[in-house]
Amino acid sequence: MQIGFLLIAIVLSVFAGRLVQLQAIDPGSYAQMAAREGRATVVLPATRGEILDRNGEALAETVDGRMIIADPAVTKKVAPELATMLARRLGVDYFQTLERLRVEGSRFQYVARQVPASKAQKVVADVRKKFTDDDGRPFAGLSTERDPLRIYPNDDVAANLLGFLGTPRDDGSAQALAGLETSFNSWLSGKDGEATYEVGAGNQIPLGDKTVTPAVDGRDLRLTIDRDLQFYTQRILQQTVTRAAGQSGIAVVMDSRTGQLLALADYPTYDASDPYRYDEGLYKSSALTDVYEPGSVEKVLTISSLVDAGLAFKEQKFRVPGKLYRQDRPIGDYWDHGTLRLTLAGILAKSSNVGTVLAADQFRRGALRRYLTAFGLGQRTDIGLGGETNGIVPKGAAWTSQVGDRIAFGQSLSVNAVQMAAAVNTIANGGVRIAPSLVQGAATTDKGQQVGSDQAATTRVISADAARETMLMMERVLDPEEGVAPGAAVPGYRVAGKTGTAQRVGEDGTYDGSTTVSFAGFAPADDPRFTIYVVVHSPRAGSGGGSVAGPAFSKLMSYTLRRYGVPPTGGKPNQTPVEW
């Protein structure tokens, strides 16, 4: 027993001596040794907020992903063979990977970011089987950390709005490359965290120092867009542009009462989950970035303004000649005719340029421009997407009498599609312009601007009586006998609308012979719920707003009314006379 106690005493004295050495005699040498083993700092990515449709369906979401990290102190010995394997399995650049696997003095290098979790884990497991360290143990040169992956589950649906993310930077920050992902990058991103810990032999030292700053996840962004309606709108727009041999097109579906955009479609567009297959010129919403002359759709703004100002009424009589000779060139209509006896409603129903100019002659100088500005033309809608254009409404000396004549029927000014849809919606909304919105509730852009349906301002532009009288005239546009767009009708519903055909300006600043055709309208006409605007640029020669955009409007309006369960009002289309 004494021998046993003696042995125990000897062992304890050895441990005690070692403890003294560690704690008192030579702590610096062991600290230096630990330092030589290294410290690694890893980004703890915040989970990016989702972009949702109005019903909570994901348009852009974040799923489980991994970053693959190399410890060059371990990987440099097998760098060429390992780089070949990683390039083949992960699609990373061989030479860049080889360089990272060999970085001197580093214990931490990104090899790949945002790899699907199952794929990353499989690759690292295979690497550990293939390579071993000097002691025959599993290879410890690669590891994984959480790195959420951004996906767009609906392919091209709303891609023109969403944008997309590029490969994350080495500091972990997101590269938002287009659309809402860019405009609301800070809102969606949150704030990445950071973990710093000691490593040895390529692994974290379990009891080593570790400092963690937790990530703060991003916030979701809920849109006013209806995913299923957006899908349908994009398909109808694609069919319309293709069948008309057009260059491009836009479709806007708006809730008449709230100004919320239920669908905002461009064609052509791209797939947000695989954007690099497409021309980068498509990474935008042309409904906001591109301007054009609206053509005869603008006549509803001119005529409603006349009615509001007390200068005209729907049954007012006009003698409309085939040509109107003004300062620089004669003004004509799209069809040849002699002198017609048209009411104001007839001028709109038959889309007479000459009649519109004669009616607009009653404005005092500057009055029409003030109305157009109140309707929202010439100013951005600021719905939250970057790159929006103001459009152009001439002012001052640029508004000559000739320019004023052409503006009255929709030429010599330019708009973007959302502006124009909101202007027409003013008539649907009883004369009150409500600012369009794309974000539901409120959110703050990276420029510090708060936007959303909660911020939607309202402005009385024309009286409720003027709006109703204009609606009655717009309803005659779809009349199968008197109007120019019977193809825009929706069976069972009263519909108010207006066609548009405008010359297009080429790159040299002159009209190039092509046109923009369009149709804008709302339904039910006597109790409006939805406003829809369809635009097709450069269709085949001879195309018109009624024949090309009108049928697309009909399909979209019919689907939207059914989707939201809006019943017909039971009213009959009015029969305001178009001739006298």
Side-chain angles (χ1 to χ4, degrees), residues 4 36 67 101 141 189 234 286 348 351 375-376 387 393 426 487 538 541 578:
R36 283 195 299 271
M67 64 179 80
L101 296 176
S189 293
Q234 289 184 209
S286 58
L348 194 64
S351 199
F375 274 112
V393 178
T426 301
S538 299
V578 300

Side-chain angles (χ1 to χ4, degrees), residues 28-368:
S29 63
Y30 288 94
Q32 291 170 9
M33 188 182 299
R36 283 195 299 271
E37 285 294 302
R39 298 178 67 83
T41 298
V42 178
V43 173
L44 302 177
T47 298
R48 192 172 181 85
E50 295 184 340
I51 302 179
L52 308 169
D53 87 335
R54 65 186 300 107
N55 300 310
E57 299 292 341
L59 299 173
E61 61 182 327
T62 300
V63 297
D64 191 23
R66 294 288 186 272
M67 64 179 80
I68 298 180
I69 303 161
D71 179 357
V74 178
T75 59
K76 63 183 178 182
K77 297 178 183 179
V78 292
E81 189 177 0
L82 180 56
T84 300
M85 182 176 179
L86 294 173
R88 186 179 69 252
R89 298 284 297 275
L90 298 173
V92 294
D93 180 84
Y94 169 81
F95 294 103
Q96 186 179 67
T97 303
L98 181 63
E99 182 180 348
R100 291 185 175 188
L101 296 176
R102 289 171 162 175
V103 175
E104 289 293 336
S106 173
R107 303 302 304 270
F108 180 95
Q109 289 291 315
Y110 290 111
V111 170
R113 296 294 309 273
Q114 294 188 338
V115 181
S118 58
K119 182 177 182 179
Q121 290 162 355
K122 173 66 172 166
V123 169
V124 171
D126 290 347
V127 166
R128 287 175 175 168
K129 290 177 184 177
K130 183 177 179 63
F131 300 97
T132 57
D133 64 14
D134 295 338
D135 298 323
R137 293 174 300 189
F139 186 72
L142 292 186
S143 60
T144 65
E145 291 285 349
R146 177 177 169 273
D147 195 14
L149 175 65
R150 195 67 159 178
I151 64 168
Y152 303 91
N154 305 292
D155 302 323
D156 69 346
V157 175
N160 55 306
L161 305 175
L162 300 174
F164 59 96
L165 299 183
T167 303
R169 302 177 181 91
D170 280 352
D171 65 2
S173 61
Q175 287 193 77
L177 297 180
L180 294 167
E181 295 279 26
T182 297
S183 297
F184 292 92
N185 189 38
S186 296
W187 179 276
L188 294 163
S189 293
K191 188 175 182 181
D192 290 341
E194 184 178 89
T196 301
Y197 52 80
E198 291 179 293
V199 293
N203 295 303
Q204 180 179 346
I205 298 174
L207 299 179
D209 290 340
K210 183 175 182 179
T211 304
V212 177
T213 302
V216 178
D217 290 341
R219 289 171 284 185
D220 292 344
L221 185 69
R222 187 181 286 260
L223 305 184
T224 60
I225 295 295
D226 177 332
R227 182 194 63 181
D228 294 345
L229 177 57
Q230 176 77 22
F231 171 84
Y232 183 77
T233 301
Q234 289 184 209
R235 297 300 169 259
I236 294 299
L237 180 63
Q238 179 179 0
Q239 293 171 12
T240 301
V241 174
T242 302
R243 290 172 182 172
Q247 181 184 86
S248 60
I250 300 165
V252 184
V253 182
M254 179 181 287
D255 186 312
S256 300
R257 299 173 181 177
T258 66
Q260 294 183 18
L261 295 166
L262 304 179
L264 186 57
D266 287 331
Y267 181 79
T269 186
Y270 69 100
D271 184 343
S273 62
D274 189 14
Y276 299 111
R277 290 197 298 113
Y278 300 82
D279 186 282
E280 61 184 42
L282 299 177
Y283 302 163
K284 63 178 182 177
S285 173
S286 58
L288 292 164
T289 61
D290 295 358
V291 295
Y292 56 92
E293 298 190 1
S296 295
V297 169
E298 196 274 339
K299 289 172 182 171
V300 301
L301 309 185
T302 299
I303 287 175
S304 65
S305 300
L306 282 166
V307 174
D308 182 71
L311 300 175
F313 57 96
K314 67 181 187 299
E315 296 182 12
Q316 186 173 345
K317 299 174 181 179
F318 292 85
R319 291 184 182 274
V320 181
K323 287 283 190 296
L324 188 62
Y325 293 91
R326 291 294 173 104
Q327 296 82 354
D328 59 343
R329 70 190 73 174
I331 296 170
D333 287 321
Y334 69 92
W335 81 105
D336 293 330
H337 61 81
T339 298
L340 301 176
R341 297 193 302 175
L342 299 178
T343 63
L344 186 65
I347 289 171
L348 194 64
K350 296 185 180 297
S351 199
S352 171
N353 295 339
V354 175
T356 303
V357 172
L358 289 173
D361 282 344
Q362 299 172 90
F363 278 121
R364 291 186 177 181
R365 183 173 179 81
L368 179 56

